[in-house]
Each structure stands twice: as C-alpha cells, then as structure tokens.
Amino acid sequence: MEINERIIVTGATGGMGAAAVEALAKEGHPVLMACRNLKKAQATRADILSRVPGAKLEIGLVDLASLDSVRAFAESVEPGSVSALFNNAGVISRGFSITEDGLENTFSVNYFGPSLLTRLLLPKLPQDAHIVNMVSLTCRFVSIDEASLRPTAKDFRQLITYARAKRAMVSFSQELARRYPLLHVNMADPGVVGTDMIDLGWWFDPFADVLVKPFFKTPQSGVQPALRALREEKQNRYYVGKQCKAIPARYINPFLDKSIWEETQKIIKL
Ligand SMILES: NC(=O)c1ccc[n+]([C@@H]2O[C@H](COP(=O)([O-])OP(=O)(O)OC[C@H]3O[C@@H](n4cnc5c(N)ncnc54)[C@H](OP(=O)(O)O)[C@@H]3O)[C@@H](O)[C@H]2O)c1
C-alpha cells in the first residue's frame, strides 16, 4: 500500500483500533475511524493528534450491532476514497441480548456487521483492496455450522459464542478471498492483549487487572500482526505473533465456508 492510501479502521476508539490508527497515521496514511461513540472517537482523535500532529484522521459513525447503521455508514463512503479496510471492532457480550435486527449481539458486532460492511464497501474499493479481519485464538476450541450463526438464550455462553462469531469470520474471510481473487484478504490473531475487551464482568476482574493484565501484550504490540497483514501482497495469510503463515488446516473447509456465506447473505439480506 502507498502511504497516501486511506484506510478504514473499525473500533478505532478501543485498545488495538486506536493503536492501529496511530501507527498508520505515523506512516502517513489518512484514516477513517469508524466508531459508534462520537465523543470517544473525538477524544481518541485528539489524543492521537497530540502525538502525531497533522495526521489526517476523520471520524465516521457506525454501530456494528445495527445493520441499518452499517448500511448508512457504507453509503457515506465515497467510491474510490478508500483502499483498505481493517475489521477490528469486536465485543464479548456479558449476557445474551438481541439486536434490533433480531440477531445475537456478539455475533452482530463481530461477524454480521463486519461482513455486511465489507460486502457493501467492495464496489467502492479498488479490486485489489487490502482487507484484514481480526480473529482470535479462541476459534480453535469451537466448531460452527449454519445454525451457530443464530444462538438462542439457551445456547449462549459468553466465550463460546464469541469464539463461534470469530470462527464465522474465519470462514467469511476465506470465502471472500475465493470469490474475489484480486483482493488482499488476510487475517490477524493478536494473542492475548490487555484491553477493555478482556474485562469479562467476572468477580475476579479487579484482581486480574492488577495481577495478570500487566503480563498481557500492550495494544501497540498486539496490533502488530494486523498491521503487517494490512501490507500483505498475497491472500489468505494468517498473521499471529511474529509469524505469517498459511491458514491453519483446522480452519480449511470450503463447503462450510460456502454454506456460512450463503446463510449469512440471507440473514444480512444481501
Ligand atoms: N484483547 C484481546 O486479547 C483480543 C484477543 C483476540 C482478538 N481480539 C480482537 O481484537 C479486536 C480489538 O479488540 P480490543 O482488544 O482492542 O478491544 P477493545 O479495546 O474493547 O476495543 C473494541 C472496539 O470495538 C468497538 N465496538 C464495540 N462494539 C461496537 C459496535 N456495536 N459498533 C462499533 N464498534 C464497536 C469498541 O467501541 P466503544 O469504544 O464504543 O466500546 C472499541 O472501539 C476485536 O475484534 C477483538 O475481538 C482481542
């Protein structure tokens, strides 16, 4: 990517999103910070500008838990104005909740919102755009099928639902690469990073903050695989830690990817 190319970063108010914006701004990239909370986004932008004066940072509002909001945001992006998309935003919902679209919230923010956003932006991006999807090591502990996309209150388990939403993203990422072979679609797994996300609302969180969090990666370090993935000139590379590797065999299942893509398409009404 050329340094003047504009990049959309979702979840730019959070740990790794904000770290990515700052790193990209330092390299000279204009960034469109796609955030749901305007005040937080303005504060993050001001903070980054205090360290990177002259950075070209714009804010766009998008709530990934609302398909209408995703559509409105995608509509606001000028064709040809962006070269790369970093699907970074994510959440681990503490309990079962349903969005205005009737979808489980963790799935909506980590999977349906980013999938719809990516699909709607495709006609506005160059054919060889760079797209990076943030996934998670938790994916390795779960399997999914079409039914997993719509967990019920009975199925909901905080970390398992999150892992399944990320696993769906792994499938989406591979199917996207298959259907759009000129795109540079890649994935990044940041490892365990000391951000707000890992406060799970459990009784021991305050102890974990003091005793364990200091040993986790910083957002600046955790986001490095994603930053490298953004520059990748191939497809379907999997960035984890300092490694860039082929997608692990456990995630390779083109039949599953196709069925997840088709079911998703129905759910997001594309
Ligand atoms: N931290 C880890 O150990 C870890 C490990 C593996 C993968 N990841 C992934 O890395 C990515 C970044 O996470 P992080 O650790 O930096 O978490 P974070 O600090 O909690 O940041 C999450 C970001 O997502 C945004 N977000 C949440 N719900 C949203 C919604 N409905 N619409 C739009 N944006 C929304 C948040 O916005 P607000 O500021 O408005 O809440 C925030 O900017 C996520 O995809 C996460 O799943 C993290």
Side-chain angles (χ1 to χ4, degrees), residues 11-17 35-37 40 62-65 87-91 109-110 134-137 162 166 189-198:
T13 50
M16 284 185 271
C35 307
R36 64 170 169 174
N37 180 327
K40 244 175 133 174
V62 63
D63 180 355
L64 291 162
N87 281 316
N88 163 74
V91 73
V109 176
N110 292 284
M134 194 72 125
V135 296
S136 158
L137 58 81
Y162 167 75
K166 290 294 189 191
D189 168 356
V192 183
V193 186
T195 64
D196 291 349
M197 163 150 296
I198 55 170

PDB file of all heavy atoms in Angstrom, residues 11-17 35-37 40 62-65 87-91 109-110 134-137 162 166 189-198, ligand 1:
ATOM      1  N   GLY A  11     -13.819   0.248  15.176  1.00  0.00           N
ATOM      2  CA  GLY A  11     -13.460   0.129  16.598  1.00  0.00           C
ATOM      3  C   GLY A  11     -12.220   0.936  16.916  1.00  0.00           C
ATOM      4  O   GLY A  11     -11.377   0.513  17.701  1.00  0.00           O
ATOM      5  N   ALA A  12     -12.136   2.123  16.315  1.00  0.00           N
ATOM      6  CA  ALA A  12     -10.916   2.932  16.455  1.00  0.00           C
ATOM      7  C   ALA A  12     -10.823   3.621  17.814  1.00  0.00           C
ATOM      8  O   ALA A  12      -9.824   4.274  18.112  1.00  0.00           O
ATOM      9  CB  ALA A  12     -10.850   3.962  15.321  1.00  0.00           C
ATOM     10  N   THR A  13     -11.848   3.491  18.660  1.00  0.00           N
ATOM     11  CA  THR A  13     -11.770   4.092  19.999  1.00  0.00           C
ATOM     12  C   THR A  13     -11.144   3.134  21.001  1.00  0.00           C
ATOM     13  O   THR A  13     -10.838   3.523  22.116  1.00  0.00           O
ATOM     14  CB  THR A  13     -13.187   4.416  20.525  1.00  0.00           C
ATOM     15  OG1 THR A  13     -13.994   3.254  20.373  1.00  0.00           O
ATOM     16  CG2 THR A  13     -13.802   5.588  19.796  1.00  0.00           C
ATOM     17  N   GLY A  14     -10.992   1.866  20.612  1.00  0.00           N
ATOM     18  CA  GLY A  14     -10.556   0.864  21.582  1.00  0.00           C
ATOM     19  C   GLY A  14      -9.064   0.633  21.556  1.00  0.00           C
ATOM     20  O   GLY A  14      -8.330   1.275  20.787  1.00  0.00           O
ATOM     21  N   GLY A  15      -8.612  -0.300  22.394  1.00  0.00           N
ATOM     22  CA  GLY A  15      -7.188  -0.586  22.543  1.00  0.00           C
ATOM     23  C   GLY A  15      -6.438  -0.745  21.235  1.00  0.00           C
ATOM     24  O   GLY A  15      -5.631   0.107  20.854  1.00  0.00           O
ATOM     25  N   MET A  16      -6.711  -1.830  20.514  1.00  0.00           N
ATOM     26  CA  MET A  16      -5.915  -2.078  19.301  1.00  0.00           C
ATOM     27  C   MET A  16      -6.350  -1.219  18.122  1.00  0.00           C
ATOM     28  O   MET A  16      -5.539  -0.894  17.254  1.00  0.00           O
ATOM     29  CB  MET A  16      -5.960  -3.568  18.945  1.00  0.00           C
ATOM     30  CG  MET A  16      -5.062  -4.348  19.877  1.00  0.00           C
ATOM     31  SD  MET A  16      -4.964  -6.073  19.433  1.00  0.00           S
ATOM     32  CE  MET A  16      -6.326  -6.742  20.362  1.00  0.00           C
ATOM     33  N   GLY A  17      -7.629  -0.836  18.080  1.00  0.00           N
ATOM     34  CA  GLY A  17      -8.090   0.042  16.998  1.00  0.00           C
ATOM     35  C   GLY A  17      -7.376   1.385  17.070  1.00  0.00           C
ATOM     36  O   GLY A  17      -6.850   1.884  16.067  1.00  0.00           O
ATOM     37  N   CYS A  35     -16.462   4.457  14.142  1.00  0.00           N
ATOM     38  CA  CYS A  35     -16.734   4.263  15.576  1.00  0.00           C
ATOM     39  C   CYS A  35     -18.214   4.446  15.868  1.00  0.00           C
ATOM     40  O   CYS A  35     -18.919   5.111  15.125  1.00  0.00           O
ATOM     41  CB  CYS A  35     -15.962   5.306  16.390  1.00  0.00           C
ATOM     42  SG  CYS A  35     -14.199   5.346  16.025  1.00  0.00           S
ATOM     43  N   ARG A  36     -18.646   3.892  17.019  1.00  0.00           N
ATOM     44  CA  ARG A  36     -20.073   4.058  17.359  1.00  0.00           C
ATOM     45  C   ARG A  36     -20.322   5.203  18.321  1.00  0.00           C
ATOM     46  O   ARG A  36     -21.444   5.636  18.497  1.00  0.00           O
ATOM     47  CB  ARG A  36     -20.621   2.771  17.959  1.00  0.00           C
ATOM     48  CG  ARG A  36     -19.971   2.403  19.261  1.00  0.00           C
ATOM     49  CD  ARG A  36     -20.696   1.274  19.946  1.00  0.00           C
ATOM     50  NE  ARG A  36     -19.871   0.794  21.050  1.00  0.00           N
ATOM     51  CZ  ARG A  36     -20.254  -0.110  21.919  1.00  0.00           C
ATOM     52  NH1 ARG A  36     -21.449  -0.633  21.806  1.00  0.00           N
ATOM     53  NH2 ARG A  36     -19.458  -0.501  22.887  1.00  0.00           N
ATOM     54  N   ASN A  37     -19.246   5.677  18.980  1.00  0.00           N
ATOM     55  CA  ASN A  37     -19.423   6.679  20.031  1.00  0.00           C
ATOM     56  C   ASN A  37     -18.632   7.928  19.624  1.00  0.00           C
ATOM     57  O   ASN A  37     -17.404   7.952  19.676  1.00  0.00           O
ATOM     58  CB  ASN A  37     -18.891   6.069  21.346  1.00  0.00           C
ATOM     59  CG  ASN A  37     -19.008   7.013  22.511  1.00  0.00           C
ATOM     60  OD1 ASN A  37     -18.902   8.227  22.382  1.00  0.00           O
ATOM     61  ND2 ASN A  37     -19.219   6.427  23.682  1.00  0.00           N
ATOM     62  N   LYS A  40     -16.200   9.581  22.274  1.00  0.00           N
ATOM     63  CA  LYS A  40     -14.993   8.769  22.488  1.00  0.00           C
ATOM     64  C   LYS A  40     -14.072   8.868  21.266  1.00  0.00           C
ATOM     65  O   LYS A  40     -12.850   8.956  21.397  1.00  0.00           O
ATOM     66  CB  LYS A  40     -15.395   7.297  22.675  1.00  0.00           C
ATOM     67  CG  LYS A  40     -15.064   6.733  24.032  1.00  0.00           C
ATOM     68  CD  LYS A  40     -15.601   5.325  24.150  1.00  0.00           C
ATOM     69  CE  LYS A  40     -14.559   4.399  24.710  1.00  0.00           C
ATOM     70  NZ  LYS A  40     -15.085   3.058  24.972  1.00  0.00           N
ATOM     71  N   VAL A  62     -20.574   4.413  13.025  1.00  0.00           N
ATOM     72  CA  VAL A  62     -21.196   3.128  12.673  1.00  0.00           C
ATOM     73  C   VAL A  62     -21.357   2.281  13.929  1.00  0.00           C
ATOM     74  O   VAL A  62     -20.435   2.133  14.718  1.00  0.00           O
ATOM     75  CB  VAL A  62     -20.378   2.358  11.593  1.00  0.00           C
ATOM     76  CG1 VAL A  62     -18.994   1.974  12.062  1.00  0.00           C
ATOM     77  CG2 VAL A  62     -21.135   1.118  11.131  1.00  0.00           C
ATOM     78  N   ASP A  63     -22.576   1.776  14.088  1.00  0.00           N
ATOM     79  CA  ASP A  63     -22.828   0.806  15.149  1.00  0.00           C
ATOM     80  C   ASP A  63     -22.951  -0.554  14.479  1.00  0.00           C
ATOM     81  O   ASP A  63     -23.910  -0.820  13.752  1.00  0.00           O
ATOM     82  CB  ASP A  63     -24.122   1.166  15.897  1.00  0.00           C
ATOM     83  CG  ASP A  63     -24.426   0.169  17.009  1.00  0.00           C
ATOM     84  OD1 ASP A  63     -23.693  -0.835  17.130  1.00  0.00           O
ATOM     85  OD2 ASP A  63     -25.392   0.402  17.752  1.00  0.00           O
ATOM     86  N   LEU A  64     -21.967  -1.408  14.719  1.00  0.00           N
ATOM     87  CA  LEU A  64     -21.942  -2.711  14.029  1.00  0.00           C
ATOM     88  C   LEU A  64     -23.033  -3.660  14.531  1.00  0.00           C
ATOM     89  O   LEU A  64     -23.254  -4.710  13.936  1.00  0.00           O
ATOM     90  CB  LEU A  64     -20.564  -3.358  14.171  1.00  0.00           C
ATOM     91  CG  LEU A  64     -19.472  -2.612  13.394  1.00  0.00           C
ATOM     92  CD1 LEU A  64     -18.091  -2.995  13.901  1.00  0.00           C
ATOM     93  CD2 LEU A  64     -19.562  -2.889  11.894  1.00  0.00           C
ATOM     94  N   ALA A  65     -23.720  -3.256  15.607  1.00  0.00           N
ATOM     95  CA  ALA A  65     -24.835  -4.079  16.090  1.00  0.00           C
ATOM     96  C   ALA A  65     -26.141  -3.695  15.386  1.00  0.00           C
ATOM     97  O   ALA A  65     -27.198  -4.179  15.761  1.00  0.00           O
ATOM     98  CB  ALA A  65     -24.985  -3.920  17.594  1.00  0.00           C
ATOM     99  N   ASN A  87     -11.172  -4.636   9.698  1.00  0.00           N
ATOM    100  CA  ASN A  87     -12.319  -5.027  10.531  1.00  0.00           C
ATOM    101  C   ASN A  87     -11.790  -5.395  11.906  1.00  0.00           C
ATOM    102  O   ASN A  87     -11.515  -6.561  12.189  1.00  0.00           O
ATOM    103  CB  ASN A  87     -13.051  -6.209   9.895  1.00  0.00           C
ATOM    104  CG  ASN A  87     -13.949  -5.776   8.759  1.00  0.00           C
ATOM    105  OD1 ASN A  87     -14.681  -4.783   8.858  1.00  0.00           O
ATOM    106  ND2 ASN A  87     -13.906  -6.503   7.652  1.00  0.00           N
ATOM    107  N   ASN A  88     -11.652  -4.371  12.742  1.00  0.00           N
ATOM    108  CA  ASN A  88     -11.048  -4.576  14.060  1.00  0.00           C
ATOM    109  C   ASN A  88     -12.069  -4.643  15.198  1.00  0.00           C
ATOM    110  O   ASN A  88     -11.869  -5.382  16.156  1.00  0.00           O
ATOM    111  CB  ASN A  88     -10.071  -3.418  14.318  1.00  0.00           C
ATOM    112  CG  ASN A  88      -9.717  -3.294  15.779  1.00  0.00           C
ATOM    113  OD1 ASN A  88      -8.950  -4.102  16.317  1.00  0.00           O
ATOM    114  ND2 ASN A  88     -10.300  -2.303  16.460  1.00  0.00           N
ATOM    115  N   ALA A  89     -13.156  -3.894  15.095  1.00  0.00           N
ATOM    116  CA  ALA A  89     -14.081  -3.781  16.238  1.00  0.00           C
ATOM    117  C   ALA A  89     -14.572  -5.146  16.688  1.00  0.00           C
ATOM    118  O   ALA A  89     -14.741  -6.059  15.875  1.00  0.00           O
ATOM    119  CB  ALA A  89     -15.276  -2.914  15.864  1.00  0.00           C
ATOM    120  N   GLY A  90     -14.780  -5.271  17.969  1.00  0.00           N
ATOM    121  CA  GLY A  90     -15.289  -6.537  18.483  1.00  0.00           C
ATOM    122  C   GLY A  90     -15.788  -6.370  19.897  1.00  0.00           C
ATOM    123  O   GLY A  90     -15.523  -5.357  20.557  1.00  0.00           O
ATOM    124  N   VAL A  91     -16.536  -7.364  20.352  1.00  0.00           N
ATOM    125  CA  VAL A  91     -17.058  -7.312  21.715  1.00  0.00           C
ATOM    126  C   VAL A  91     -17.259  -8.738  22.224  1.00  0.00           C
ATOM    127  O   VAL A  91     -17.483  -9.657  21.420  1.00  0.00           O
ATOM    128  CB  VAL A  91     -18.388  -6.509  21.741  1.00  0.00           C
ATOM    129  CG1 VAL A  91     -19.544  -7.295  21.130  1.00  0.00           C
ATOM    130  CG2 VAL A  91     -18.756  -6.070  23.143  1.00  0.00           C
ATOM    131  N   VAL A 109     -21.868  -7.843  16.232  1.00  0.00           N
ATOM    132  CA  VAL A 109     -20.724  -6.917  16.233  1.00  0.00           C
ATOM    133  C   VAL A 109     -19.471  -7.551  15.622  1.00  0.00           C
ATOM    134  O   VAL A 109     -18.737  -6.914  14.870  1.00  0.00           O
ATOM    135  CB  VAL A 109     -20.424  -6.424  17.677  1.00  0.00           C
ATOM    136  CG1 VAL A 109     -19.177  -5.535  17.700  1.00  0.00           C
ATOM    137  CG2 VAL A 109     -21.631  -5.697  18.246  1.00  0.00           C
ATOM    138  N   ASN A 110     -19.246  -8.832  15.965  1.00  0.00           N
ATOM    139  CA  ASN A 110     -18.003  -9.476  15.492  1.00  0.00           C
ATOM    140  C   ASN A 110     -18.122 -10.087  14.107  1.00  0.00           C
ATOM    141  O   ASN A 110     -17.122 -10.345  13.464  1.00  0.00           O
ATOM    142  CB  ASN A 110     -17.592 -10.597  16.454  1.00  0.00           C
ATOM    143  CG  ASN A 110     -17.147 -10.082  17.799  1.00  0.00           C
ATOM    144  OD1 ASN A 110     -16.053  -9.572  17.939  1.00  0.00           O
ATOM    145  ND2 ASN A 110     -18.020 -10.166  18.782  1.00  0.00           N
ATOM    146  N   MET A 134      -9.896  -9.236  12.004  1.00  0.00           N
ATOM    147  CA  MET A 134      -9.292  -9.597  13.291  1.00  0.00           C
ATOM    148  C   MET A 134     -10.000 -10.829  13.825  1.00  0.00           C
ATOM    149  O   MET A 134     -11.225 -10.826  14.002  1.00  0.00           O
ATOM    150  CB  MET A 134      -9.478  -8.417  14.247  1.00  0.00           C
ATOM    151  CG  MET A 134      -8.643  -8.491  15.465  1.00  0.00           C
ATOM    152  SD  MET A 134      -6.897  -8.190  15.108  1.00  0.00           S
ATOM    153  CE  MET A 134      -6.561  -6.843  16.235  1.00  0.00           C
ATOM    154  N   VAL A 135      -9.240 -11.887  14.058  1.00  0.00           N
ATOM    155  CA  VAL A 135      -9.829 -13.116  14.578  1.00  0.00           C
ATOM    156  C   VAL A 135      -9.219 -13.402  15.961  1.00  0.00           C
ATOM    157  O   VAL A 135      -8.654 -12.496  16.578  1.00  0.00           O
ATOM    158  CB  VAL A 135      -9.666 -14.279  13.580  1.00  0.00           C
ATOM    159  CG1 VAL A 135     -10.440 -13.981  12.309  1.00  0.00           C
ATOM    160  CG2 VAL A 135      -8.205 -14.557  13.279  1.00  0.00           C
ATOM    161  N   SER A 136      -9.336 -14.622  16.417  1.00  0.00           N
ATOM    162  CA  SER A 136      -8.912 -14.880  17.793  1.00  0.00           C
ATOM    163  C   SER A 136      -8.485 -16.333  17.954  1.00  0.00           C
ATOM    164  O   SER A 136      -9.025 -17.224  17.292  1.00  0.00           O
ATOM    165  CB  SER A 136     -10.101 -14.587  18.715  1.00  0.00           C
ATOM    166  OG  SER A 136      -9.963 -15.254  19.933  1.00  0.00           O
ATOM    167  N   LEU A 137      -7.543 -16.537  18.880  1.00  0.00           N
ATOM    168  CA  LEU A 137      -7.096 -17.914  19.127  1.00  0.00           C
ATOM    169  C   LEU A 137      -8.215 -18.771  19.706  1.00  0.00           C
ATOM    170  O   LEU A 137      -8.146 -19.999  19.676  1.00  0.00           O
ATOM    171  CB  LEU A 137      -5.858 -17.930  20.023  1.00  0.00           C
ATOM    172  CG  LEU A 137      -5.915 -17.277  21.409  1.00  0.00           C
ATOM    173  CD1 LEU A 137      -6.561 -18.159  22.442  1.00  0.00           C
ATOM    174  CD2 LEU A 137      -4.506 -16.918  21.853  1.00  0.00           C
ATOM    175  N   TYR A 162     -18.601 -15.945  21.495  1.00  0.00           N
ATOM    176  CA  TYR A 162     -17.589 -15.048  20.912  1.00  0.00           C
ATOM    177  C   TYR A 162     -16.674 -15.833  19.960  1.00  0.00           C
ATOM    178  O   TYR A 162     -16.427 -15.419  18.824  1.00  0.00           O
ATOM    179  CB  TYR A 162     -16.780 -14.410  22.047  1.00  0.00           C
ATOM    180  CG  TYR A 162     -15.516 -13.703  21.614  1.00  0.00           C
ATOM    181  CD1 TYR A 162     -15.568 -12.455  20.981  1.00  0.00           C
ATOM    182  CD2 TYR A 162     -14.259 -14.265  21.841  1.00  0.00           C
ATOM    183  CE1 TYR A 162     -14.401 -11.805  20.594  1.00  0.00           C
ATOM    184  CE2 TYR A 162     -13.093 -13.619  21.462  1.00  0.00           C
ATOM    185  CZ  TYR A 162     -13.170 -12.398  20.837  1.00  0.00           C
ATOM    186  OH  TYR A 162     -12.016 -11.756  20.451  1.00  0.00           O
ATOM    187  N   LYS A 166     -16.125 -15.372  15.882  1.00  0.00           N
ATOM    188  CA  LYS A 166     -14.811 -15.183  15.243  1.00  0.00           C
ATOM    189  C   LYS A 166     -14.533 -16.308  14.244  1.00  0.00           C
ATOM    190  O   LYS A 166     -13.934 -16.087  13.197  1.00  0.00           O
ATOM    191  CB  LYS A 166     -13.703 -15.138  16.302  1.00  0.00           C
ATOM    192  CG  LYS A 166     -13.729 -13.878  17.153  1.00  0.00           C
ATOM    193  CD  LYS A 166     -13.401 -12.653  16.326  1.00  0.00           C
ATOM    194  CE  LYS A 166     -13.193 -11.411  17.157  1.00  0.00           C
ATOM    195  NZ  LYS A 166     -13.138 -10.187  16.364  1.00  0.00           N
ATOM    196  N   ASP A 189      -4.452 -12.617  14.243  1.00  0.00           N
ATOM    197  CA  ASP A 189      -4.791 -13.063  15.600  1.00  0.00           C
ATOM    198  C   ASP A 189      -3.806 -12.361  16.532  1.00  0.00           C
ATOM    199  O   ASP A 189      -2.605 -12.624  16.466  1.00  0.00           O
ATOM    200  CB  ASP A 189      -4.640 -14.592  15.650  1.00  0.00           C
ATOM    201  CG  ASP A 189      -4.686 -15.137  17.073  1.00  0.00           C
ATOM    202  OD1 ASP A 189      -4.752 -14.348  18.031  1.00  0.00           O
ATOM    203  OD2 ASP A 189      -4.652 -16.366  17.220  1.00  0.00           O
ATOM    204  N   PRO A 190      -4.303 -11.456  17.375  1.00  0.00           N
ATOM    205  CA  PRO A 190      -3.360 -10.651  18.174  1.00  0.00           C
ATOM    206  C   PRO A 190      -2.787 -11.345  19.399  1.00  0.00           C
ATOM    207  O   PRO A 190      -1.896 -10.805  20.051  1.00  0.00           O
ATOM    208  CB  PRO A 190      -4.232  -9.467  18.620  1.00  0.00           C
ATOM    209  CG  PRO A 190      -5.624 -10.004  18.662  1.00  0.00           C
ATOM    210  CD  PRO A 190      -5.704 -11.074  17.602  1.00  0.00           C
ATOM    211  N   GLY A 191      -3.296 -12.544  19.737  1.00  0.00           N
ATOM    212  CA  GLY A 191      -2.875 -13.176  21.005  1.00  0.00           C
ATOM    213  C   GLY A 191      -3.729 -12.617  22.137  1.00  0.00           C
ATOM    214  O   GLY A 191      -4.856 -12.181  21.905  1.00  0.00           O
ATOM    215  N   VAL A 192      -3.195 -12.596  23.344  1.00  0.00           N
ATOM    216  CA  VAL A 192      -3.971 -12.069  24.481  1.00  0.00           C
ATOM    217  C   VAL A 192      -3.427 -10.675  24.816  1.00  0.00           C
ATOM    218  O   VAL A 192      -2.247 -10.509  25.106  1.00  0.00           O
ATOM    219  CB  VAL A 192      -3.875 -12.996  25.707  1.00  0.00           C
ATOM    220  CG1 VAL A 192      -4.746 -12.459  26.842  1.00  0.00           C
ATOM    221  CG2 VAL A 192      -4.320 -14.406  25.321  1.00  0.00           C
ATOM    222  N   VAL A 193      -4.314  -9.693  24.736  1.00  0.00           N
ATOM    223  CA  VAL A 193      -3.889  -8.290  24.808  1.00  0.00           C
ATOM    224  C   VAL A 193      -4.661  -7.594  25.944  1.00  0.00           C
ATOM    225  O   VAL A 193      -5.880  -7.788  26.082  1.00  0.00           O
ATOM    226  CB  VAL A 193      -4.174  -7.590  23.461  1.00  0.00           C
ATOM    227  CG1 VAL A 193      -3.603  -6.179  23.459  1.00  0.00           C
ATOM    228  CG2 VAL A 193      -3.591  -8.401  22.298  1.00  0.00           C
ATOM    229  N   GLY A 194      -3.965  -6.801  26.698  1.00  0.00           N
ATOM    230  CA  GLY A 194      -4.571  -6.146  27.866  1.00  0.00           C
ATOM    231  C   GLY A 194      -5.428  -4.953  27.498  1.00  0.00           C
ATOM    232  O   GLY A 194      -5.049  -3.810  27.717  1.00  0.00           O
ATOM    233  N   THR A 195      -6.605  -5.209  26.955  1.00  0.00           N
ATOM    234  CA  THR A 195      -7.535  -4.126  26.593  1.00  0.00           C
ATOM    235  C   THR A 195      -8.830  -4.293  27.394  1.00  0.00           C
ATOM    236  O   THR A 195      -8.998  -5.258  28.123  1.00  0.00           O
ATOM    237  CB  THR A 195      -7.889  -4.199  25.102  1.00  0.00           C
ATOM    238  OG1 THR A 195      -8.582  -5.429  24.870  1.00  0.00           O
ATOM    239  CG2 THR A 195      -6.669  -4.132  24.213  1.00  0.00           C
ATOM    240  N   ASP A 196      -9.778  -3.364  27.169  1.00  0.00           N
ATOM    241  CA  ASP A 196     -11.069  -3.437  27.889  1.00  0.00           C
ATOM    242  C   ASP A 196     -11.800  -4.737  27.583  1.00  0.00           C
ATOM    243  O   ASP A 196     -12.578  -5.229  28.389  1.00  0.00           O
ATOM    244  CB  ASP A 196     -11.981  -2.278  27.454  1.00  0.00           C
ATOM    245  CG  ASP A 196     -11.450  -0.958  27.948  1.00  0.00           C
ATOM    246  OD1 ASP A 196     -10.513  -0.976  28.779  1.00  0.00           O
ATOM    247  OD2 ASP A 196     -11.955   0.092  27.492  1.00  0.00           O
ATOM    248  N   MET A 197     -11.560  -5.283  26.387  1.00  0.00           N
ATOM    249  CA  MET A 197     -12.287  -6.478  25.956  1.00  0.00           C
ATOM    250  C   MET A 197     -12.162  -7.641  26.934  1.00  0.00           C
ATOM    251  O   MET A 197     -13.091  -8.423  27.092  1.00  0.00           O
ATOM    252  CB  MET A 197     -11.748  -6.902  24.598  1.00  0.00           C
ATOM    253  CG  MET A 197     -12.098  -8.288  24.215  1.00  0.00           C
ATOM    254  SD  MET A 197     -12.236  -8.469  22.467  1.00  0.00           S
ATOM    255  CE  MET A 197     -13.582  -7.437  22.080  1.00  0.00           C
ATOM    256  N   ILE A 198     -11.003  -7.731  27.592  1.00  0.00           N
ATOM    257  CA  ILE A 198     -10.825  -8.918  28.430  1.00  0.00           C
ATOM    258  C   ILE A 198     -11.349  -8.720  29.855  1.00  0.00           C
ATOM    259  O   ILE A 198     -11.195  -9.590  30.699  1.00  0.00           O
ATOM    260  CB  ILE A 198      -9.376  -9.445  28.420  1.00  0.00           C
ATOM    261  CG1 ILE A 198      -8.400  -8.359  28.803  1.00  0.00           C
ATOM    262  CG2 ILE A 198      -9.016 -10.009  27.061  1.00  0.00           C
ATOM    263  CD1 ILE A 198      -7.007  -8.907  29.027  1.00  0.00           C
TER     264      ILE A 198
HETATM  265  N1  LIG B   1      -7.847  -8.211  23.580  1.00  0.00           N
HETATM  266  C1  LIG B   1      -7.584  -9.449  23.207  1.00  0.00           C
HETATM  267  O1  LIG B   1      -6.933 -10.223  23.933  1.00  0.00           O
HETATM  268  C2  LIG B   1      -8.055  -9.961  21.871  1.00  0.00           C
HETATM  269  C3  LIG B   1      -7.697 -11.281  21.506  1.00  0.00           C
HETATM  270  C4  LIG B   1      -8.110 -11.766  20.261  1.00  0.00           C
HETATM  271  C5  LIG B   1      -8.838 -10.952  19.407  1.00  0.00           C
HETATM  272  N2  LIG B   1      -9.175  -9.678  19.807  1.00  0.00           N
HETATM  273  C6  LIG B   1      -9.933  -8.878  18.859  1.00  0.00           C
HETATM  274  O2  LIG B   1      -9.253  -7.676  18.608  1.00  0.00           O
HETATM  275  C7  LIG B   1     -10.183  -6.652  18.231  1.00  0.00           C
HETATM  276  C8  LIG B   1      -9.929  -5.396  19.024  1.00  0.00           C
HETATM  277  O3  LIG B   1     -10.209  -5.671  20.383  1.00  0.00           O
HETATM  278  P1  LIG B   1      -9.564  -4.883  21.616  1.00  0.00           P
HETATM  279  O4  LIG B   1      -8.943  -5.923  22.467  1.00  0.00           O
HETATM  280  O5  LIG B   1      -8.757  -3.715  21.148  1.00  0.00           O
HETATM  281  O6  LIG B   1     -10.903  -4.440  22.355  1.00  0.00           O
HETATM  282  P2  LIG B   1     -11.447  -3.066  22.923  1.00  0.00           P
HETATM  283  O7  LIG B   1     -10.358  -2.252  23.498  1.00  0.00           O
HETATM  284  O8  LIG B   1     -12.598  -3.461  23.791  1.00  0.00           O
HETATM  285  O9  LIG B   1     -11.969  -2.337  21.588  1.00  0.00           O
HETATM  286  C9  LIG B   1     -13.100  -2.783  20.925  1.00  0.00           C
HETATM  287  C10 LIG B   1     -13.538  -1.732  19.936  1.00  0.00           C
HETATM  288  O10 LIG B   1     -14.722  -2.216  19.265  1.00  0.00           O
HETATM  289  C11 LIG B   1     -15.701  -1.209  19.344  1.00  0.00           C
HETATM  290  N3  LIG B   1     -17.062  -1.712  19.335  1.00  0.00           N
HETATM  291  C12 LIG B   1     -17.674  -2.499  20.250  1.00  0.00           C
HETATM  292  N4  LIG B   1     -18.956  -2.664  19.932  1.00  0.00           N
HETATM  293  C13 LIG B   1     -19.168  -1.962  18.789  1.00  0.00           C
HETATM  294  C14 LIG B   1     -20.294  -1.725  17.965  1.00  0.00           C
HETATM  295  N5  LIG B   1     -21.511  -2.223  18.277  1.00  0.00           N
HETATM  296  N6  LIG B   1     -20.160  -0.951  16.856  1.00  0.00           N
HETATM  297  C15 LIG B   1     -18.955  -0.408  16.556  1.00  0.00           C
HETATM  298  N7  LIG B   1     -17.850  -0.586  17.297  1.00  0.00           N
HETATM  299  C16 LIG B   1     -17.966  -1.354  18.400  1.00  0.00           C
HETATM  300  C17 LIG B   1     -15.429  -0.509  20.672  1.00  0.00           C
HETATM  301  O11 LIG B   1     -16.101   0.739  20.666  1.00  0.00           O
HETATM  302  P3  LIG B   1     -16.507   1.524  22.045  1.00  0.00           P
HETATM  303  O12 LIG B   1     -15.266   2.236  22.445  1.00  0.00           O
HETATM  304  O13 LIG B   1     -17.595   2.415  21.618  1.00  0.00           O
HETATM  305  O14 LIG B   1     -16.913   0.463  23.033  1.00  0.00           O
HETATM  306  C18 LIG B   1     -13.929  -0.418  20.622  1.00  0.00           C
HETATM  307  O15 LIG B   1     -13.528   0.670  19.812  1.00  0.00           O
HETATM  308  C19 LIG B   1     -11.559  -7.279  18.444  1.00  0.00           C
HETATM  309  O16 LIG B   1     -12.054  -7.753  17.220  1.00  0.00           O
HETATM  310  C20 LIG B   1     -11.281  -8.441  19.361  1.00  0.00           C
HETATM  311  O17 LIG B   1     -12.257  -9.453  19.244  1.00  0.00           O
HETATM  312  C21 LIG B   1      -8.800  -9.179  21.005  1.00  0.00           C
END
